[in-house]
Amino acid sequence: MHTPPPALVTELALRCLDDIDDIVEEWLAQVELVDPYGSPDPPVSRDELRGTALAGLDMLLRHIATGSVAPGMAGLSERVGERRAGQGVPLESLLAAARLDARVLWQVMNARATPEALPGLIAGAHLVWEAVEQHVTGLMTGYQRAVLEMGRQREDQRRAWFARLMDSQGRNPDVVRDAGRVLGFAPAQPVLAVVAHPGEGAALRAAAAAMAGSGVHYRHESPTGDVLIVQPTARTAGVPRPVLAALAGVRCGVSPVVSGLSAAPRAVRLAAAAEGASRAGAGPRRLEDAWLDVFVGGSGELAAELAHQVLGPLAALGGSEGERLLETVRIHLTGSGSVADTATALYCHRNTVQHRFARFRELTGRDVRVPEDAAVVALALRAADALA
C-alpha cells in the first residue's frame, strides 16, 4: 500500500516547485562542470539541457511531494536516457549529471527548512534519494536500450555495405570507398580473406577476437561459412604469422594477401576454394598450399573420371603390385623428384625405381619422369585420396 510522504517533506517539495526556474539555473551551473556538458562544443545544447532539467526536476519534486511519479511524466527518464545515448554522451557523464539532482534538491530543500523542521527533513531524506535513484534507473534503461538498438543498426549497415561490396565485385570505386568507411578499412591497403567451414562460426569469432592487434577486421556471418576480412597492420607479401596463429584449430580457407579492398570479393572466392580443400582438425588451409586439392575439388565428377582413367588400370592388377607401384609414384611426386632420393626413401636400388616407373607407364600411359604426365598423375592421386 502506498504511504504518503510526511507533510513537512511534501510542503518543502511544493515550495521548491515555486522556485523551479532558479533551481534549474543552479543545477546548470553545476552540471557544466561535468565533461562533456561544459566543453566548448557540447553534445547537448544549453537550451536543451535547461528544458530537460526543468522537466526532470519538476518530476522529481512532485515525486518527493506525493510519493509517486505523475502519470503524465512516466517514461521521461527513459526518453532522456535514449536521447543522450544518441547524442554520444558517455553513460558515466549522464549518471554524474543525474546524481547532481539529489545534491541540488537536498540543498534547496534544506535551505527552505526552518531550524525546527530540519530533523523532520533529515528523517525524510531517503525519499529524495529514492526518487533520484528511480530516475537514474530509468535513464540507464533508456540509454542501454538505445545503445543496443544503435549497435544493431550499425551492424545492419555493415552487413549491407559488405553485401554491396561483394555484389559489385569491387568494380565500383564509390562502393569500395563507402564500404571501407563503414567497415573501417583503408580502401587502398592490402587485405586478405578467411572463409570458415560451416559450423566453425564460433571458432572464427574467437579467432577474430584473438587477432585484434594484427589489423582491422570485419566478420560476416553466412550459413555457407562465415567470412573474415583482415587488413594487416603492416604490409606483408604473405599471410601474417599472427593471423595464422589466431586461426590455429579453425577449419577454414585463407586467401593470399590482395592489393586492396576492391580485390576483397576475389579474395573471398579464393579463400572459399581453399576452404573446400580443408580437412577436419587440420586448421587453416592457405590457398598456396592447396592448389592440387582445389582443382580436384572443383568437380567431383571430373575428379572421379580423372582417377579412373589414370589409376584404374592398376586396380586390375593382382597381388600387391598395384600398391607397390602407387607407393613408388606417390613418394616420387611428393618428394624432390629425384630418382635417387626416391630409391633412398624406399630402401631399394634406383634401377628398381626405374623399372617400376616403366611398369607404371606401361599400364597407365603416363611417365612420371615427364613433367606434364607427372602433373596429371599428381592430380589423379589427389582425386583418388579425395574420393576415398
Side-chain angles (χ1 to χ4, degrees):
M1 179 180 294
H2 172 64
T3 302
L8 171 64
V9 173
T10 298
E11 178 189 352
L12 286 171
L14 293 176
R15 283 174 58 193
C16 288
L17 281 172
D18 294 336
D19 301 322
I20 189 68
D21 291 332
D22 292 338
I23 296 172
V24 167
E25 291 304 317
E26 172 61 25
W27 183 87
L28 285 172
Q30 295 193 39
V31 83
E32 287 178 344
L33 300 176
V34 177
D35 186 62
Y37 294 107
S39 64
D41 186 23
V44 188
S45 70
R46 185 176 176 86
D47 286 343
E48 182 178 341
L49 269 180
R50 180 182 286 106
T52 52
L54 181 61
L57 292 170
D58 183 281
M59 175 191 70
L60 288 170
L61 286 168
R62 295 183 188 280
H63 187 176
I64 295 166
T66 64
S68 61
V69 176
M73 302 300 288
L76 173 66
S77 303
E78 293 186 17
R79 289 193 297 273
V80 173
E82 291 175 353
R83 172 75 174 162
R84 296 295 180 262
Q87 293 170 318
V89 175
L91 180 58
E92 57 270 23
S93 298
L94 174 64
L95 298 182
R99 291 196 166 101
L100 280 177
D101 297 345
R103 182 189 305 172
V104 170
L105 289 177
W106 181 251
Q107 287 171 349
V108 298
M109 290 178 72
N110 188 68
R112 285 160 178 75
T114 64
E116 296 78 12
L118 278 177
L121 176 59
I122 293 172
H126 65 283
L127 299 172
V128 177
W129 313 122
E130 287 171 2
V132 171
E133 283 305 309
Q134 185 173 328
H135 176 51
V136 167
T137 299
L139 288 170
M140 289 180 62
T141 299
Y143 189 98
Q144 291 167 344
R145 182 169 58 234
V147 167
L148 288 173
E149 180 58 29
M150 288 188 295
R152 282 193 291 268
Q153 291 174 357
R154 281 195 297 270
E155 190 55 36
D156 288 345
Q157 184 184 39
R158 285 159 65 86
R159 281 195 292 266
W161 276 104
F162 180 79
R164 289 191 65 182
L165 177 64
M166 293 297 109
D167 291 343
S168 75
Q169 297 299 319
R171 299 191 184 101
N172 187 325
D174 292 337
V175 170
V176 172
R177 181 197 64 226
D178 292 340
R181 175 180 54 80
V182 173
L183 299 174
F185 294 117
Q189 297 300 311
V191 299
L192 63 94
V194 179
V195 174
H197 187 75
E200 292 279 312
L204 185 63
R205 183 166 57 250
M211 65 176 72
S214 301
V216 178
H217 64 266
Y218 168 70
R219 186 176 60 85
H220 180 79
E221 295 183 359
S222 170
T224 57
D226 287 6
V227 176
L228 182 70
I229 305 295
V230 180
Q231 189 163 71
T233 52
R235 288 182 176 272
T236 175
V239 179
R241 289 184 179 179
V243 172
L244 290 174
L247 292 169
V250 182
R251 184 178 178 181
C252 61
V254 184
S255 80
V257 175
V258 296
S259 58
L261 195 59
S262 62
R266 178 168 65 88
V268 170
R269 293 193 298 273
L270 296 176
E275 188 283 314
S278 66
R279 297 183 179 86
R285 192 83 190 272
R286 297 184 305 170
L287 182 63
E288 52 262 47
D289 300 328
W291 281 116
L292 288 179
D293 290 326
V294 166
F295 279 107
V296 165
S299 169
E301 184 178 14
L302 288 178
E305 184 64 22
L306 175 66
H308 173 71
Q309 283 198 12
V310 175
L311 304 177
L314 300 181
L317 293 177
S320 60
E321 183 184 7
E323 294 178 3
R324 186 165 57 250
L325 292 177
L326 277 177
E327 179 189 25
T328 302
V329 168
R330 190 185 298 275
I331 288 176
H332 183 72
L333 293 178
T334 56
S336 67
S338 160
V339 172
D341 289 346
T342 302
T344 299
L346 291 168
Y347 301 101
C348 65
H349 195 276
R350 56 179 295 144
N351 287 341
T352 302
V353 173
Q354 297 282 20
H355 287 313
R356 290 177 186 175
F357 286 167
R359 176 62 169 156
F360 184 86
R361 184 181 63 179
E362 177 187 341
L363 292 168
T364 67
R366 301 285 179 177
D367 188 343
V368 295
R369 293 162 293 189
V370 176
E372 184 173 343
D373 282 352
V376 172
V377 173
L379 273 175
L381 288 170
R382 199 60 62 95
D385 290 343
L387 293 169

